[in-house]
Amino acid sequence: MAESPNQPITSLYVHVPFCAQKCLYCAFYSEASSGELVNRYVTALIRELELVAHDLKPATVFFGGGTPSILNLRQWEQILRSMEHLNLLGATEWTVECNPATVSLDKAKLLRSFGVNRISMGVQSLDEDLLDRLGRIHSRDTVFKSFDILRKAGFDNLNLDLMFAIPGQTLDIWRKTLAEALAMGSEHVSSYEVIYEEDTPLFAQLQAGEFDVDEDLACVMYEELVSQATRAGFHQYEIANFARDTDGATPPENRPSLACRHNVNYWRGSSFYGLGPSATSYVRGVRTKNWSNTQLYCEQLEKGRRAIESREELQPLARAGETAAFGLRMIAGWPFEQFRKTTGHDLRKDWQNEMEQLTHRGWGRLEPDRFRLTSEGLRFADAAAELFLR
Ligand SMILES: C[S@@+](CC[C@H](N)C(=O)[O-])C[C@H]1O[C@@H](n2cnc3c(N)ncnc32)[C@H](O)[C@@H]1O
Ligand code: SF4
């Protein structure tokens, strides 16, 4: 059900559209940074924060990108001070994404002192050749060094992003990267199979026949991920996400205590503000998207208005269908009661056929209190989820 207009929104995403260099596989909106544009972006972002602050009381904040850690100390300080001024500090969980090459102790300490309490670091691989292959700017050594810096700065909730099924990656290399990454002792691991995004150099190489995709190998790598992560004490709570559990997972979510709350919010269909170029907001049933153009974003905010490119108001059933589709990514699936409370719709009434179809295919499991995808269904979650869209 739509959140009440009297209750402020509790989730904030901020997109930082700059990277030192574009990785060969990446389709997130970002560009190689230039000093002046970054300063202009920071001023525009603060303006955008001012425009929405009256409707925000963040319980979770996520600065993603792009590469938020590329902002320098002065730029970070400007953003953090304005958030302080606008009463936007104090989130229970506040994540900032970092590229290992742009971590420094000064910056890490500054973030920590303003209440950032979770860092997500893009590691991707610990194999030097594969890091080169992906166009990453850091070495494996930098990953270990940056991890230590973050610990030294007081971060006790760290996520590592890994990728598998990278062209040229053998099962053996993947096993080794996984074992080394898990041994680092982070609290959270996210691991994605490479997606060949159009308009990326990696996609062009695939089209040109420079390598083949081996789906069977990708399946074995995913199984290896689940089994190694589980053995290392992580709990899988979403297709690609694993976290440690310090309090004991509680029903109905059965999710580990160090699961990323901000992302769980997305998958459970809650409202959030998304600021910065290309960011999407979903506020009380209305989805808006900012321009994916930093120049244009800045121009709009300099005129005192949000840089919104599109706006879509979803009908309640369509909204519930999307919520169903997102939530099925979670290992806990959708508890019927929770779904009803969130959307006002009953999965057993409006999606009975789809749930039976998936159960029949071996992709889904109907339980007395919930519907969830099986491990096979999770492999094809996008196709399964599509059935729920209205
Ligand atoms: C915004 S980046 C993380 C922070 C920082 N920009 C970095 O790369 O170090 C988000 C994550 O998405 C994943 N990712 C990006 N593009 C991907 C793709 N085409 N296929 C699979 N995973 C991808 C990577 O694991 C990456 O760490
Ligand atoms: S993966 Fe991260 S560092 Fe690489 S281009 Fe994408 S956002 Fe930038």
Side-chain angles (χ1 to χ4, degrees):
M1 252 173 265
E3 285 100 334
S4 139
N6 307 320
Q7 296 283 329
I9 302 301
T10 56
S11 195
L12 169 66
Y13 173 78
V14 174
H15 192 80
V16 181
F18 304 108
C19 291
Q21 169 186 302
K22 211 58 209 167
C23 304
L24 300 185
Y25 52 86
C26 182
F28 286 104
Y29 175 67
S30 69
E31 58 187 307
S33 62
S34 84
E36 215 21 66
L37 187 60
V38 185
N39 285 334
R40 208 175 152 200
Y41 156 80
V42 170
T43 308
L45 172 65
I46 291 171
R47 188 77 195 97
E48 200 182 17
L49 282 164
E50 287 165 358
L51 293 176
V52 299
H54 67 278
D55 193 26
L56 254 178
K57 190 169 186 349
T60 70
V61 178
F62 197 107
F63 275 69
T67 307
S69 54
I70 208 168
L71 302 179
N72 64 30
L73 266 181
R74 193 180 41 77
Q75 290 157 341
W76 264 116
E77 203 161 350
Q78 264 178 281
I79 295 172
L80 296 166
R81 290 233 175 274
S82 74
M83 286 179 70
E84 182 176 42
H85 194 67
L86 293 166
N87 251 329
L88 297 174
L89 301 186
T92 313
E93 180 193 272
W94 184 348
T95 306
V96 171
E97 279 188 338
C98 292
N99 182 307
T102 50
V103 170
S104 75
L105 187 59
D106 284 357
K107 234 185 272 181
K109 280 187 173 163
L110 176 74
L111 294 175
R112 190 69 200 93
S113 71
F114 274 84
V116 175
N117 54 15
R118 186 173 183 272
I119 298 285
S120 175
M121 192 157 71
V123 173
Q124 323 313 353
S125 178
L126 288 170
D127 181 273
E128 293 291 7
D129 291 340
L130 287 183
L131 288 172
D132 274 354
R133 177 79 187 79
L134 294 172
R136 299 290 296 178
I137 54 165
H138 60 86
S139 64
R140 52 176 271 126
D141 249 17
T142 317
V143 171
F144 300 123
K145 282 193 187 125
S146 296
F147 190 88
D148 289 347
I149 289 175
L150 293 170
R151 287 293 197 219
K152 209 163 150 200
F155 285 98
D156 59 6
N157 192 0
L158 298 178
N159 169 57
L160 304 179
D161 278 344
L162 298 173
M163 285 167 69
F164 64 93
I166 303 167
Q169 187 182 39
T170 61
L171 182 57
D172 212 42
I173 296 177
W174 173 229
R175 279 196 179 123
K176 232 170 121 198
T177 284
L178 248 182
E180 284 188 290
L182 293 170
M184 287 170 73
S186 67
E187 285 66 36
H188 194 284
V189 169
S190 304
S191 185
Y192 309 96
E193 178 175 344
V194 171
I195 301 168
Y196 293 93
E197 305 272 8
E198 272 181 56
D199 297 330
T200 60
L202 201 66
F203 180 78
Q205 291 168 10
L206 177 67
Q207 296 291 90
E210 289 179 25
F211 55 85
D212 286 325
V213 173
D214 185 341
E215 264 308 319
D216 293 337
L217 178 60
C219 280
V220 177
M221 287 179 166
Y222 183 67
E223 281 161 18
E224 183 69 20
L225 162 70
V226 175
S227 84
Q228 272 208 40
T230 309
R231 260 185 284 135
F234 285 92
H235 300 257
Q236 184 178 19
Y237 65 99
E238 195 263 355
I239 301 171
N241 285 283
F242 302 79
R244 295 201 188 275
D245 187 37
T246 50
D247 310 342
T250 46
E253 282 281 14
N254 297 320
R255 107 173 96 82
S257 56
L258 291 172
C260 175
R261 292 170 188 232
H262 184 84
N263 286 339
V264 168
N265 254 345
Y266 282 135
W267 299 318
R268 287 301 186 216
S270 305
S271 286
F272 59 90
Y273 273 105
L275 310 187
S278 83
T280 300
S281 296
Y282 179 66
V283 175
R284 303 183 187 93
V286 178
R287 179 175 303 122
T288 54
K289 189 175 188 311
N290 280 355
W291 289 101
S292 300
N293 179 322
T294 305
Q295 205 87 25
L296 200 55
Y297 169 83
C298 294
E299 276 167 25
Q300 294 297 305
L301 280 145
E302 283 155 9
K303 290 180 188 152
R305 50 178 182 247
R306 287 194 65 201
I308 293 175
E309 178 191 13
S310 61
R311 181 180 192 283
E312 182 188 16
E313 189 157 355
L314 295 174
Q315 293 309 308
L317 186 64
R319 206 192 305 168
E322 283 201 355
T323 305
F326 273 131
L328 286 178
R329 301 183 60 86
M330 310 269 307
I331 303 298
W334 262 120
F336 298 128
E337 191 47 29
Q338 191 183 359
F339 184 79
R340 198 191 53 71
K341 276 195 191 138
T342 311
T343 65
H345 285 266
D346 189 341
L347 268 178
R348 285 165 294 191
K349 227 174 94 214
D350 292 307
W351 286 275
Q352 186 66 27
N353 282 344
E354 287 76 7
M355 290 192 296
E356 278 168 11
Q357 214 177 309
L358 289 172
T359 307
H360 194 69
R361 235 190 263 178
W363 286 11
R365 195 163 55 231
L366 255 170
E367 296 175 10
D369 71 329
R370 73 186 63 217
F371 177 71
R372 63 171 111 206
L373 296 183
T374 58
S375 39
E376 199 191 348
L378 286 168
R379 268 277 322 131
F380 303 102
D382 289 342
E386 215 161 288
L387 293 179
F388 288 77
L389 300 180
R390 289 285 191 269

